[in-house]
Structures are given as C-alpha cells and as structure tokens.
Amino acid sequence: MLRRIEARIVNPLLGTRIPLPTYATDGAAAMDLRACLEEPLVLAPGQRALVKTGLAINMMDPGLVAIVASRSGLSLKHGIRVAQGIGVIDADYHGEIGVILANDGEQPFTIEPGERIAQLMFQPVVQVGLQFVDNFSTTTARGEGGFGSTGRL
C-alpha cells in the first residue's frame, strides 16, 4: 500500500525561484533536495555547512523515517557529501530539513541557489527491544568469526 506524506513549504523561495523536490525518474527511490539559498555559498576544502532546503515534512506515521543521502555525482566529482554519512529525520521531527554538507575535495565548491545537494528517501522503521543474556542458544556456520571470517577482507 502506498503511503502519503504531507510536505510543507517553509521558505517562499521554494516553488518560486527554486524548484520543488522531485523524483528524477519513475524508478527513482529518492527525491532530490535543493539548496534553498538567497545567494551562492562557497564551501572551502575541509569545511562543513548546514544548507537549508526550504522543505518541512510532517510524517506523522511512526512507522517511517526519512533518510538524507549524498548525491553520488557531487561526491565523485567534487568531494561534496552529507557530513554525517546519512541524515536521519525521525517521524516526530517537524522542522525544516537542513543538510549538513562537507567538502572532502581539494578545491572550494560553490553551492548555487536551487542546486541539487542531497537525496531524500523514505523507509519503514522497526524498533528493536534489547535483552541481556548470558549466552546465545543457537550456533551458525560463522560462529563468533568477525571481520574477514567468511572470505577476503
């Protein structure tokens, strides 16, 4: 069953001077988030910045999470990535989405108003209860093997 998410525009630039977030193709798993800026922002090598998107979501469904991910082209070509790896937007967060971008490249990078800066994907959530035990009752082929225990590192 398709779930619907209510999205709100919280910046008047979004939808007027800056395009709304969209899915690039029918098969896209994530929509592109754009920089909702009045003017260009220069991100120096090694620098991080919070870039607003002008979009707030009201997910409301505690069974969902929104994930902010890097755009592969920006990462490969310019070293621009979501600073913390991915961003997690919990169902009970109701503010504007901001993306923390980091410049791992060797050159300054200019983020233009309306530039596609990240991707937004929605995923189901499972919360797990932790239970302390003295040992595990089942064994597996791997056993207690760690990194590299099933092949090459």
Side-chain angles (χ1 to χ4, degrees):
M1 180 172 118
L2 187 63
R3 294 183 185 184
R4 297 285 181 195
I5 305 299
E6 182 179 321
R8 295 190 171 110
I9 310 308
V10 296
N11 187 312
L13 293 176
L14 191 61
T16 56
R17 290 189 11 218
I18 296 173
L20 294 171
T22 59
Y23 293 94
T25 67
D26 288 341
M31 65 176 64
D32 290 322
L33 291 174
R34 295 179 180 269
C36 195
L37 302 170
E38 294 274 352
E39 56 192 38
L41 171 68
V42 177
L43 200 56
Q47 185 180 12
R48 293 178 306 277
L50 178 64
V51 181
K52 298 291 188 163
T53 66
L55 182 72
I57 55 175
N58 184 8
M59 283 201 293
M60 31 346 116
D61 181 338
L64 289 176
V65 63
I67 303 291
V68 177
S70 297
R71 294 192 66 242
S72 57
L74 281 180
S75 295
L76 177 64
K77 295 174 185 172
H78 305 287
I80 304 300
R81 64 175 174 82
V82 174
Q84 70 272 38
I86 63 167
V88 174
I89 303 170
D90 296 310
D92 56 357
Y93 175 75
H94 299 288
E96 181 177 3
I97 297 172
V99 179
I100 304 168
L101 291 179
N103 184 350
D104 291 335
E106 298 175 3
Q107 302 294 322
F109 182 79
T110 302
I111 301 166
E112 299 291 340
E115 184 163 3
R116 295 177 300 155
I117 57 168
Q119 301 178 84
L120 183 66
M121 178 187 324
F122 296 91
Q123 294 287 313
V125 170
V126 175
Q127 289 187 339
V128 175
L130 300 178
Q131 179 182 11
F132 291 99
V133 296
D134 293 329
N135 56 41
F136 294 106
S137 60
T138 61
T139 60
T140 67
R142 171 180 274 187
E144 294 182 14
F147 293 107
S149 65
T150 62
R152 280 179 69 180
L153 282 178

